[in-house]
Amino acid sequence: MTWVIARASHEDIIELRMAVLRPGQPYVASRYAGEEHGINIAARVDGEVVGCATFFPHRFAGPGEEEGPADAFVPAEAQGLVAWRLRGMATAPELRSAGVGSAVLSAGLEGVLEAGGGLVWCNARTEVMAFYRRHGFVTIGSEFLSAGALQIPHYRAWVRLRP
């Protein structure tokens, strides 16, 4: 199976984002403040979106901010770098472990680098931390539960893009 990776609109990716990350939640639960200033990446198979992620400029959140753990901190090596946030990364269940997520993430990190970003951070679901670690992300702080109705375990994770 071959997929095509390209930039996309919010409208292109919202259905997959809602189905995978916010099942049963209202549309507003899948909208992120600031995403309109960023980059959406989609993987498509025969025109259907099967993977997506959104990257947008967002200050690296400090202790306790943005649903993060109280013991998280902004690492010294991140000081002075332009931070972007990754949110809404999703892959259709039938294509997990097929490389779609890796392709989407790589395209997004490249887009952030081209836009002048120096690091990308996210609140990564604990169950997929191995995926993020394979792509160079490191965790800071302790595990925490996401805000809202779903209460899913997460870690704050980040990756430096510039030496």
Side-chain angles (χ1 to χ4, degrees):
M1 176 180 316
T2 304
W3 53 83
V4 176
I5 306 294
R7 292 195 183 194
S9 71
H10 173 79
E11 291 74 26
D12 290 338
I13 65 171
I14 190 65
E15 187 176 320
L16 180 66
R17 186 193 289 179
M18 289 177 67
V20 171
L21 301 176
R22 304 284 189 274
Q25 300 293 304
Y27 172 82
V28 296
S30 293
R31 287 291 302 186
Y32 311 131
E35 73 174 302
E36 66 276 8
H37 303 294
I39 301 166
N40 293 310
I41 303 292
R44 289 184 170 88
V45 172
D46 297 328
E48 180 184 349
V49 175
V50 296
C52 65
T54 299
F55 302 80
F56 54 95
H58 192 286
R59 164 181 85 73
F60 198 153
E65 297 177 291
E66 298 289 336
E67 305 174 4
D71 60 347
F73 62 97
V74 178
E77 59 269 31
Q79 301 295 326
L81 296 176
V82 177
W84 282 55
R85 186 169 183 186
L86 163 60
R87 290 197 78 181
M89 180 147 189
T91 301
E94 66 275 12
L95 290 176
R96 290 192 186 133
S97 299
V100 172
S102 292
V104 167
L105 180 61
S106 295
L109 295 177
E110 170 110 2
V112 170
L113 193 58
E114 289 171 2
L119 69 88
V120 170
W121 70 275
C122 64
N123 288 334
R125 290 183 181 204
T126 300
E127 66 184 89
V128 294
M129 271 311 306
F131 167 82
Y132 287 105
R133 286 189 180 106
R134 282 194 307 274
H135 292 281
F137 282 76
V138 295
T139 59
I140 57 172
S142 58
E143 185 180 60
F144 63 96
L145 296 177
S146 60
L150 300 178
Q151 296 283 293
I152 298 167
H154 285 71
Y155 279 95
R156 176 74 45 82
W158 74 287
V159 64
R160 184 183 178 114
L161 302 178
R162 298 185 181 278

